[in-house]
Amino acid sequence: MWGWYVFLCITPTALLIYFPLSNHSSSRLVCYYNSLAEYRANGGKVRISDIDPKQCTHLIFAFSDISSVNRLVPRRTTDLNRYQSFNQLKARNPLLKTLLAVGDTQRFSMMVSTQSRRAMFIQSAITLLRTYGFDGLSLDWKFPAAAGSQSDNKQKFTMLCQELKAAFVNEGTQTNRDRLILIASVSAEKAVIDASYEVTQVAGSLDFINVLTFDFRGPSETVTGHHSPLFQGSQDTGDKINSNTDYAMKYWRDQGAPAHKLNLGIASYGRVYTVASHCGGVGAPVSGPGTEGTYTQMEGLLAYYEICPHLDGIQVQLISDQKVPYAVINNNQWVGFDNKHSIGTKVSYLNTNHFGGAFVLSLDLDDFSGHFCNQGKYPLISHLHDLLVPVLMLTPFIVLAINTTFDFHSFSDYPHYTTTTTTTTTTTTTSTVDPDNFCSGRADGLHANPNDRNSFYNCAHGRTYIQYCATNLVFNPTCLCCDYP
């Protein structure tokens, strides 16, 4: 959850105070950006300049690589310029955190095999992250114990996480900088979890964990089924009984990962199968993966922006026990995907279970331009943002401070200052309101507190939050700011 933090921006005539505030159960929204999206056909290209940095709390650049000498390196030399552009997005959202993901490469196994190789990787990671302005690292080694890998990779992955965390703490202390963030994206399959992760130990070193609660079904299926169901389906048998979001999230939690560190995965794409004409329903026989999308060009996969133009006049069906939708488009293409309704259900689920937030793979598969779905830009991520991230998460309160000096040595929750400005006292008539339910029926945003001019209400989705101006200042409803009376 967001706590009370104060960010200051001082100009010769004004002080801007930023208060992020929320009482939401979950407020973390992590978004991947696939840098290969820049190479898609015209109309489907997604460049860094197309990213809205205010929609997500964390942005992940995917992917970097591991060199033959165990160093963290960009996948392409041109990515170095992209790193700079990516981190410049923080200028438009000072609370944004950026991370660099190191992809699922065969060199993970070699790198973790000895302490010296891990040390080389860790030092190179710190150097690369700091040089280009990233706030942290995402480990995307999804199958440490895959067939043919080293038998002790499970333990070596734990060592890597522990040594990275220790090095990040030490570097932050020595340089007097915020510690680099360390996260991982991990499998949601029970067999892989059991074979690959020492859950309690790994969770202790990670700031949060992205659970890949999608792709439970892939292109090789023989019958239709949704790849990211929330719950077990009535037709699930065998291993499929555990192949759902609910089981995966609770299994990670029950194995020792704190619920508040777990992010539920949302796919901004659908899995597609070719079926007999007009043959729908879950469990229908398929003849193979669906046809590739115009822009993504992957068999059996369609971006959300490639799905939604085909839904006009099509009956979107809800799989009632799994709480996710599907549709049959182009007569014989069965596609299971998430829409705003199913995303709302998943957010309610993660809030009920006190999980830390959600992550999206990936923002470039949402309708980034707003031209495909006619629902505005990034309709899925925008909806997630509205549900998860507090309204006015970054709200500037402008304090006019002419001839003001600040005593930063005694700075605590608010700046202490002296000023030559004359303050006058104003008497107002107040009305009685219920402070706990003030925002019920009111629009989201800032509202004056009729009982106390030094405070004001911040309304978000009907929830009531009270915030305070600094001493001797009052809330001005004209500018929605704290001002001299």
Side-chain angles (χ1 to χ4, degrees):
M1 292 187 292
W2 291 100
W4 282 93
Y5 297 91
V6 180
F7 296 83
L8 303 177
C9 177
I10 299 173
T11 71
T13 59
L15 166 70
L16 288 92
I17 309 176
Y18 294 92
F19 290 94
L21 174 70
S22 174
N23 287 336
H24 284 52
S25 298
S26 307
S27 58
R28 189 164 55 230
L29 177 54
V30 183
C31 302
Y32 272 82
Y33 168 66
N34 179 0
S35 58
L36 294 177
E38 187 174 325
Y39 297 99
R40 293 181 188 142
N42 286 333
K45 290 181 186 292
V46 186
R47 300 178 175 87
I48 291 171
S49 58
D50 295 312
I51 298 174
D52 181 353
K54 297 179 182 178
Q55 292 294 337
C56 308
T57 61
H58 299 71
L59 286 176
I60 301 178
F61 186 101
F63 287 100
S64 59
D65 213 336
I66 301 172
S67 74
S68 59
V69 292
N70 308 298
R71 296 177 62 86
L72 182 67
V73 294
R75 284 204 165 166
R76 299 168 296 275
T77 55
T78 52
D79 279 350
L80 295 176
N81 290 330
R82 294 185 181 93
Y83 291 171
Q84 292 178 328
S85 299
F86 193 75
N87 284 295
Q88 286 170 1
L89 293 171
K90 288 186 283 190
R92 293 159 55 195
N93 178 2
L95 291 183
L96 178 67
K97 299 298 182 184
T98 59
L99 297 96
L100 180 62
V102 54
D104 206 10
T105 168
Q106 295 295 323
R107 287 180 173 154
F108 258 117
S109 189
M110 175 70 74
M111 180 268 289
V112 300
S113 62
T114 68
Q115 193 280 329
S116 61
R117 287 171 175 168
R118 295 193 300 271
M120 173 65 77
F121 172 80
I122 292 167
Q123 186 54 54
S124 68
I126 292 172
T127 300
L128 184 63
L129 296 173
R130 290 303 196 192
T131 299
Y132 290 94
F134 286 100
D135 298 298
L137 180 69
S138 176
L139 299 173
D140 285 47
W141 191 16
K142 301 178 184 68
F143 308 105
S149 63
Q150 298 296 319
S151 60
D152 61 350
N153 273 358
K154 180 177 182 177
Q155 292 73 31
K156 294 294 177 60
F157 183 69
T158 301
M159 292 179 185
L160 175 65
C161 293
Q162 291 172 338
E163 292 166 10
L164 274 165
K165 175 67 173 294
F168 286 1
V169 169
N170 184 58
E171 187 269 346
T173 301
Q174 289 186 347
T175 61
N176 197 29
R177 303 172 75 172
D178 289 342
R179 174 180 61 80
L180 291 166
I181 300 167
L182 180 62
I183 72 171
S185 289
V186 299
S187 176
E189 298 281 359
K190 180 182 183 300
V192 178
I193 298 168
D194 291 342
S196 299
Y197 310 109
E198 296 178 315
V199 174
T200 302
Q201 295 94 316
V202 167
S205 298
L206 299 173
D207 292 292
F208 55 84
I209 300 167
N210 295 329
V211 185
L212 299 161
T213 49
F214 40 77
D215 286 348
F216 287 112
R217 294 178 181 269
S220 62
E221 304 291 335
T222 58
V223 296
T224 57
H226 203 287
H227 77 106
S228 186
L230 180 53
F231 298 112
Q232 177 185 338
S234 58
Q235 300 186 37
D236 290 341
T237 59
D239 292 342
K240 295 299 184 186
I241 291 174
N242 300 331
S243 295
N244 58 79
T245 297
D246 174 57
Y247 182 89
M249 295 297 289
K250 290 179 178 176
Y251 192 69
W252 268 95
R253 180 197 64 190
D254 294 344
Q255 294 302 301
H260 71 270
K261 286 192 176 186
L262 297 174
N263 292 339
L264 183 152
I266 303 287
S268 53
Y269 60 88
R271 287 290 179 184
V272 196
Y273 304 97
T274 300
V275 297
S277 182
H278 302 295
C279 179
V282 176
V286 306
S287 60
T291 56
E292 63 185 31
T294 302
Y295 302 103
T296 51
Q297 297 185 339
M298 293 179 62
E299 269 195 339
L301 183 148
L302 290 176
Y304 181 69
Y305 68 79
E306 293 173 318
I307 297 170
C308 60
H310 297 286
L311 298 180
D312 287 342
I314 297 293
Q315 182 76 33
V316 176
Q317 305 287 344
L318 176 69
I319 307 173
S320 58
D321 51 3
Q322 296 184 309
K323 308 301 181 187
V324 284
Y326 75 90
V328 179
I329 60 177
N330 298 335
N331 296 321
N332 68 346
Q333 299 294 292
W334 193 103
V335 55
F337 59 101
D338 270 307
N339 58 14
K340 290 183 179 181
H341 180 76
S342 64
I343 284 174
T345 302
K346 289 182 176 182
V347 169
S348 295
Y349 167 86
L350 71 87
N351 279 329
T352 298
N353 288 279
H354 306 291
F355 293 121
F359 80 99
V360 179
L361 191 73
S362 55
L363 64 84
D364 48 272
L365 298 176
D366 196 359
D367 185 9
F368 60 94
S369 67
H371 297 152
F372 293 93
C373 306
N374 294 319
Q375 300 171 15
K377 292 184 178 181
Y378 294 106
L380 298 185
I381 293 174
S382 294
H383 189 56
L384 271 167
H385 176 275
D386 290 345
L387 295 173
L388 281 172
V389 183
V391 173
L392 297 174
M393 184 183 72
L394 185 63
T395 304
F397 305 104
I398 304 173
V399 181
L400 300 179
I402 309 300
N403 296 326
T404 299
T405 58
F406 295 90
D407 178 9
F408 288 101
H409 296 288
S410 60
F411 178 80
S412 56
D413 289 330
Y414 298 103
H416 300 272
Y417 54 86
T418 59
T419 177
T420 59
T421 303
T422 301
T423 301
T424 59
T425 302
T426 303
T427 302
T428 60
T429 301
T430 62
S431 60
T432 302
V433 297
D434 180 357
D436 294 328
N437 297 304
F438 176 87
C439 291
S440 178
R442 285 184 167 86
D444 288 347
L446 305 183
H447 300 268
N449 180 355
N451 294 331
D452 179 11
R453 295 184 68 205
N454 181 245
S455 67
F456 54 93
Y457 291 106
N458 190 343
C459 296
H461 304 297
R463 295 182 178 92
T464 300
Y465 308 109
I466 190 165
Q467 296 176 239
Y468 295 89
C469 298
T471 305
N472 298 328
L473 300 180
V474 297
F475 181 72
N476 184 340
T478 303
C479 65
L480 298 179
C481 66
C482 293
D483 201 351
Y484 288 111

